[in-house]
Amino acid sequence: MLKAYKYRLYPTKEQQEMLFKHFGACRFIYNWGLEQKIKTYEQDGKSVSRFDLNKGITMLKRDGEHEWLKEVNSQSLQGATLNLDNAFTRFFREKKGFPKFKSRKNPVQAYNVPQNYKVDFENNMIYLPKIGNVKTILHRSLGNGDLKTATVSQTSTGKFYISILVDDGGENLKKMEFSENDTVGVDVGIKDFAIMSNGDKIDNPRHLKNSMKRLKVLSKRLSRKQKDSSNRNKARKQVAKLHEKISNQRHDFQHKVSAKLVSENQAIAIETLNVSGMLKNHHLAQRIADASWSSFVEKLEYKAEWYGKTILRIGQFEPSTKICNVCGKYNGSLTLADRKWECLDCNTTHDRDINAAINIKTFALQEQNLIGI
């Protein structure tokens, strides 16, 4: 099983300069490789392989104009061509969008270290090729697995991190058996972040909304600064720090909720949502983005894999909200404003979200409605 461990780096000024050289060189190779692929396809109708691009990197180092590429780790340069290859794979297989050229103005930069790095827990150091031993906060063990690719990154606030991929050699845990009693249906929402089929509700903390007043002040200050000035860069960092705080709050909240759900249930039933389509509703887009449902579902899925739990999905067109969970009556007149409604057949009064969560669980436990199980 593959797991990633992320640690904060504290490089010296000299080491920061070398990190910036690696960021720039890998970005240059990525853009150069993308240009080569586009030109070759336009001229010959053929695709350039990653291995041909790697041979081209050697030729670039030999000409006088690009000798500076010798100053950085050669395997990291080849990692840039691998990233480009993966981007084209996602484009053709998953229709994720054609690869774009990377900008040096992007405050978020990263490069890969495929091998030859070393982790020293005794001295809180990580050795990086061409850079040396970098002070690191190694706050948790990597275990006894094999170290795979490491990724060094810089955030928009100027912090440096390293993410290490580890293969522990073990297989995914066998899925535990589940029944109706140990399965919970979860309906995500805006007013309440998550509503369970057992009637429990988890409030939506609305991290972005709570910081919006301060964010508007900082954004206005940024807009008034002269472009490319040092004061504008300082103002940009202030905005970036607040966005980073909001993001950290959101991820912390979602990790706690997802861990609680996975630990307390053998199976979790969720609804497949077209989030990108829902974001086109300009009245609710900001609240939907603040809730970040896709990120929450992703955390549920990989934690369920870790602990042998099951995620059940139902189709996005299942009418979970409009069907009475008692008698099955369909209420076609229900609108988004109706938070409670009464069934005309059995006279049961429903809480809109709890009824939806119960129906999600019911639909998921019906074999014909399961997706990807």
Side-chain angles (χ1 to χ4, degrees):
M1 182 185 296
L2 295 174
K3 287 187 178 182
Y5 297 83
K6 191 173 184 178
Y7 305 102
R8 177 137 181 220
L9 299 174
Y10 291 88
T12 62
K13 289 185 177 180
E14 293 78 10
Q15 289 173 338
Q16 286 185 27
E17 291 180 2
M18 284 302 300
L19 288 173
F20 291 140
K21 286 183 179 180
H22 278 74
F23 293 146
C26 291
R27 183 179 61 249
F28 170 81
I29 292 298
Y30 184 95
N31 292 340
W32 167 81
L34 179 55
E35 183 182 16
Q36 295 301 312
K37 280 180 169 289
I38 293 174
K39 284 184 177 180
T40 304
Y41 185 79
E42 289 177 347
Q43 294 173 0
D44 304 327
K46 297 181 180 179
S47 176
V48 181
S49 69
R50 174 168 61 94
F51 305 101
D52 291 334
L53 291 177
N54 289 340
K55 292 178 182 178
I57 295 175
T58 304
M59 302 302 295
L60 282 175
K61 291 180 179 179
R62 291 176 181 174
D63 66 36
E65 188 178 354
H66 301 98
E67 283 189 354
W68 52 273
L69 290 173
K70 296 179 181 179
E71 299 179 22
V72 302
N73 182 21
S74 60
Q75 292 181 337
S76 296
L77 298 180
Q78 294 179 5
T81 61
L82 177 60
N83 290 340
L84 178 61
D85 205 45
N86 292 335
F88 272 96
T89 300
R90 289 192 295 270
F91 169 67
F92 288 113
R93 293 184 180 177
E94 305 174 16
K95 309 301 180 184
K96 292 295 185 180
F98 191 81
K100 297 180 180 179
F101 291 96
K102 295 187 176 182
S103 172
R104 63 187 300 271
K105 294 184 179 180
N106 188 346
V108 179
Q109 300 288 340
Y111 79 94
N112 293 340
V113 186
Q115 55 186 5
N116 295 330
Y117 63 91
K118 299 177 182 178
V119 183
D120 183 359
F121 279 93
E122 292 185 3
N123 299 311
N124 278 319
M125 294 284 186
I126 290 183
Y127 172 80
L128 297 174
K130 297 284 188 176
I131 295 176
N133 291 316
V134 183
K135 181 182 177 182
T136 312
I137 301 299
L138 298 169
H139 59 281
R140 56 175 175 168
S141 173
L142 289 170
N144 298 322
D146 295 330
L147 303 184
K148 300 296 183 180
T149 301
T151 302
V152 180
S153 60
Q154 182 193 29
T155 66
S156 57
T157 57
K159 298 176 182 177
F160 294 90
Y161 291 92
I162 184 169
S163 181
I164 301 175
L165 191 64
V166 178
D167 185 359
D168 59 11
E171 298 181 356
N172 292 341
L173 292 178
K174 184 179 179 181
K175 297 289 185 182
M176 300 180 184
E177 295 184 359
F178 60 90
S179 63
E180 183 179 356
N181 293 331
D182 48 34
T183 300
V184 65
V186 179
D187 180 44
V188 293
I190 295 176
K191 181 178 180 295
D192 297 297
F193 178 77
I195 303 92
M196 270 64 76
S197 55
N198 57 13
D200 293 340
K201 292 185 177 182
I202 299 175
D203 292 335
N204 187 356
R206 303 171 191 256
H207 300 297
L208 178 60
K209 182 180 179 181
N210 293 338
S211 301
M212 186 56 69
K213 186 176 180 180
R214 178 62 176 167
L215 185 60
K216 286 181 179 179
V217 172
L218 295 178
S219 298
K220 184 176 288 188
R221 290 178 184 174
L222 174 62
S223 67
R224 291 173 176 173
K225 304 299 180 184
Q226 185 177 350
K227 288 187 176 181
D228 300 325
S229 66
S230 59
N231 283 336
R232 184 179 179 85
N233 189 45
K234 292 178 183 177
R236 181 196 61 77
K237 284 189 176 181
Q238 291 295 322
V239 175
K241 284 182 180 179
L242 183 55
H243 276 297
E244 184 180 65
K245 178 182 177 181
I246 295 169
S247 176
N248 290 340
Q249 289 175 329
R250 184 181 295 123
H251 284 299
D252 178 69
F253 169 75
Q254 291 183 356
H255 276 299
K256 290 176 179 176
V257 174
S258 58
K260 183 175 184 294
L261 287 173
V262 170
S263 64
E264 293 179 351
N265 303 279
Q266 301 299 335
I268 302 170
I270 56 178
E271 184 178 12
T272 302
L273 297 174
N274 180 17
V275 178
S276 59
M278 299 170 80
L279 288 173
K280 294 179 182 178
N281 182 340
H282 299 296
H283 298 286
L284 299 174
Q286 187 181 89
R287 296 181 182 180
I288 293 173
D290 190 15
S292 189
W293 297 327
S294 298
S295 175
F296 173 65
V297 171
E298 182 181 332
K299 292 178 177 63
L300 277 178
E301 289 177 334
Y302 75 69
K303 288 178 183 178
E305 288 291 331
W306 287 356
Y307 301 109
K309 305 300 178 69
T310 302
I311 298 294
L312 305 175
R313 281 180 173 270
I314 68 169
Q316 68 184 64
F317 299 111
E318 295 286 351
S320 57
T321 303
K322 298 184 178 182
I323 289 182
C324 172
N325 69 78
V326 178
C327 67
K329 172 70 175 180
Y330 180 78
N331 184 359
S333 62
L334 195 67
T335 64
L336 190 61
D338 299 324
R339 308 316 302 173
K340 291 187 177 183
W341 59 280
E342 183 177 346
C343 178
L344 298 178
D345 280 13
C346 64
N347 298 323
T348 304
T349 301
H350 293 294
D351 179 290
R352 173 195 181 95
D353 297 325
I354 294 178
N355 178 67
I358 295 173
N359 283 329
I360 289 173
K361 175 181 175 179
T362 303
F363 294 161
L365 291 175
Q366 295 173 2
E367 187 175 351
Q368 68 272 18
N369 288 325
L370 297 183
I371 297 178
I373 300 298

